[in-house]
Amino acid sequence: MAGAGSMIDCCDLIAGLAARGWNQGSGVPCSTFAGPIAHLSASGHYRAAANEGLALSGAVGARLAGRREAVFLQNSGLGNLINPLTSLCQPYAVPVLALVSMRGWPDPGADEPQHALMGQTTETILSALGIWHTVLTAESLDPALDRAEQMISSGRSAFLLVPHRSISQHPGTMPALRTGGPDTAEVTSAVADACPPGTAVFATTGYTSRYLHDALDRPENFYMQGSMGHVSSLALGYADAAPEKTVIVLDGDGAALMHLGALSTIGAAQPANLVHVVIDNGGYESTGSQQSTSGTTDLAAVAKACGYRAASTVDSVQALQQQLASAAAAPGPHFILVRAGRTVRQTPQRAGASLSLPHIAARLQDATLPAAAAASHA
Ligand SMILES: Cc1ncc(C[n+]2csc(CCOP(=O)(O)OP(=O)(O)O)c2C)c(N)n1
């Protein structure tokens, strides 16, 4: 569904960028960019970045070495990118070209609630920062790219705002996610089955939250929508403040990599009641199965090096169940990396389709705090 104009042909976009010297890309995926990212990846011209700020600073570095590298991001990642945008690109006068897919825009009410505020404010934020931007549609493709080119030539960054799902798919093949091993739905169900009553379970954004909600909805489940990469820190704060509760985090490889520093924070804080499960399917399944960098990062070794008391890697539901049982019998923090495979099944609805986001937070709070304390903390 394009917010304005008709579908942009993926090949036209890639050709338009290439004609102006933008043969290379870096970024964090959004389903809107599945086509361009697949196209650039197929020719080895795309670098997966763990977060949007890293993609931007990488593009600045590439430019210092004479290469033009376009940055791809969803507007939910604008916050990750503002630091290097304002303190690197602008003061050092090294301009970047960014393509921003627009969730929660033009009508914030027509998209998921976690996108509403950013949808309403992306243009305002860019304007406040003095960043030139324009909406990219099929009709405005060439003039918008030309105008961006003029901006870049004059030393200013250019941000092209792309309506959600307005770019066609790439006809070629996507880099495959890992195959074999349990899929996200199986891992999520196994965790839901294994957790004793009262355990708080925090699930990361994307499909994982959907599968947890589908497997077993309970007040102690927190379904994160948005805030990619923050679920383990959310769970750490909760675990620290409620040491009598067992806390399980269901994370994704892409999300864990996005804010890898969270592992160091957890290792230093040593929450004895925390079990961190990362479902590593090798990529960003929720946005079109683009490859992440988990294939070259041993997340269990990172967790161990960060100070988790125990870290293991499993590749079956049975081995996961055994590790969950061991974790229940000894103080944490525990880290379990599940080598997961691609999910081949109908994706269930988001938890937010039947539960409001404030309700998800409030019912966990109610289930955690004694009634009197809940009233005084409200
Ligand atoms: C800051 C930010 N950047 C990008 C996105 C878009 N996004 C939503 S889910 C997702 C993929 C998450 O990947 P992973 O954690 O590996 O879980 P999987 O999708 O494989 O289950 C992305 C990139 C987002 N929501 N927030």
Side-chain angles (χ1 to χ4, degrees), residues 78 82 117-118 121-131 133:
L78 196 61
I82 282 179
L117 256 181
M118 197 45 99
T121 56
T122 297
E123 291 176 279
T124 314
I125 292 170
L126 291 173
S127 297
L129 297 175
I131 299 293
H133 54 89

Side-chain angles (χ1 to χ4, degrees), residues 316-330:
S316 69
V317 165
Q318 197 191 17
L320 169 63
Q321 286 163 335
Q322 282 164 3
Q323 287 302 327
L324 288 169
S326 313

Side-chain angles (χ1 to χ4, degrees), residues 5-347:
S6 49
M7 287 293 274
I8 299 169
D9 185 283
C10 169
C11 296
D12 290 348
L13 174 63
I14 293 291
L17 289 168
R20 292 160 180 88
W22 302 95
N23 295 304
Q24 187 78 25
S26 182
V28 176
C30 170
S31 51
T32 298
F33 293 130
I37 292 176
H39 199 299
L40 292 168
S41 300
S43 57
H45 289 113
Y46 180 79
R47 190 175 60 247
N51 70 51
E52 292 80 359
L54 301 180
L56 186 97
S57 43
V60 172
R63 189 162 181 95
L64 294 179
R67 186 164 83 187
R68 291 179 153 218
E69 200 167 278
V71 177
F72 293 86
L73 71 142
Q74 185 180 91
N75 59 342
S76 59
L78 196 61
N80 283 337
L81 166 152
I82 282 179
N83 178 14
L85 180 64
T86 55
S87 57
L88 179 64
C89 288
Q90 286 167 304
Y92 288 87
V94 183
V96 290
L97 175 69
L99 288 92
V100 186
S101 62
M102 297 289 284
R103 298 297 305 258
W105 180 92
D107 175 9
D111 204 339
E112 301 301 321
Q114 70 275 15
H115 293 296
L117 256 181
M118 197 45 99
Q120 275 174 295
T121 56
T122 297
E123 291 176 279
T124 314
I125 292 170
L126 291 173
S127 297
L129 297 175
I131 299 293
W132 179 85
H133 54 89
T134 191
V135 176
L136 193 69
T137 61
E139 293 73 21
S140 71
L141 186 63
D142 274 313
L145 290 174
D146 284 340
R147 192 88 179 88
E149 204 47 40
Q150 286 166 10
M151 287 297 146
I152 300 278
S153 313
S154 69
R156 292 185 64 189
S157 291
F159 276 49
L160 301 173
L161 311 184
V162 183
H164 184 42
R165 297 212 180 115
S166 68
I167 303 178
S168 71
Q169 293 295 312
H170 173 56
T173 49
M174 284 295 300
L177 289 191
R178 197 170 283 130
T179 50
D183 67 22
T184 298
E186 289 165 330
V187 173
T188 305
S189 291
V191 168
D193 289 347
C195 67
T199 305
V201 184
F202 291 81
T204 185
T205 192
Y207 288 172
T208 304
S209 269
R210 296 187 189 210
Y211 283 121
L212 178 64
H213 177 252
D214 193 52
L216 175 70
D217 180 39
R218 46 203 276 288
E220 293 90 351
N221 288 356
F222 188 97
Y223 311 107
M224 195 165 235
Q225 297 188 183
S227 301
M228 185 172 161
H230 287 283
V231 75
S232 61
S233 300
L234 173 75
L236 168 62
Y238 178 93
D240 225 8
E244 72 290 353
K245 299 283 278 186
T246 299
V247 179
I248 300 182
V249 185
L250 277 167
D251 214 345
D253 54 299
L257 287 162
M258 179 166 274
H259 293 300
L260 202 53
L263 270 62
S264 179
T265 311
I266 291 169
Q270 288 286 296
N273 51 340
L274 188 83
V275 183
H276 190 173
V277 178
V278 174
I279 305 170
D280 181 1
N281 52 18
Y284 305 94
E285 186 159 40
S286 310
T287 51
S289 299
Q290 301 86 356
Q291 227 165 28
S292 74
T293 56
S294 73
T296 46
T297 301
D298 183 343
L299 286 169
V302 173
K304 194 76 185 105
C306 283
Y308 281 64
R309 270 189 216 251
S312 58
T313 300
V314 299
D315 58 10
S316 69
V317 165
Q318 197 191 17
L320 169 63
Q321 286 163 335
Q322 282 164 3
Q323 287 302 327
L324 288 169
S326 313
H334 299 275
F335 189 90
I336 306 172
L337 183 78
V338 185
R339 293 242 175 254
R342 203 158 50 87
T343 314
V344 189
R345 62 179 83 203
Q346 184 78 33
T347 314

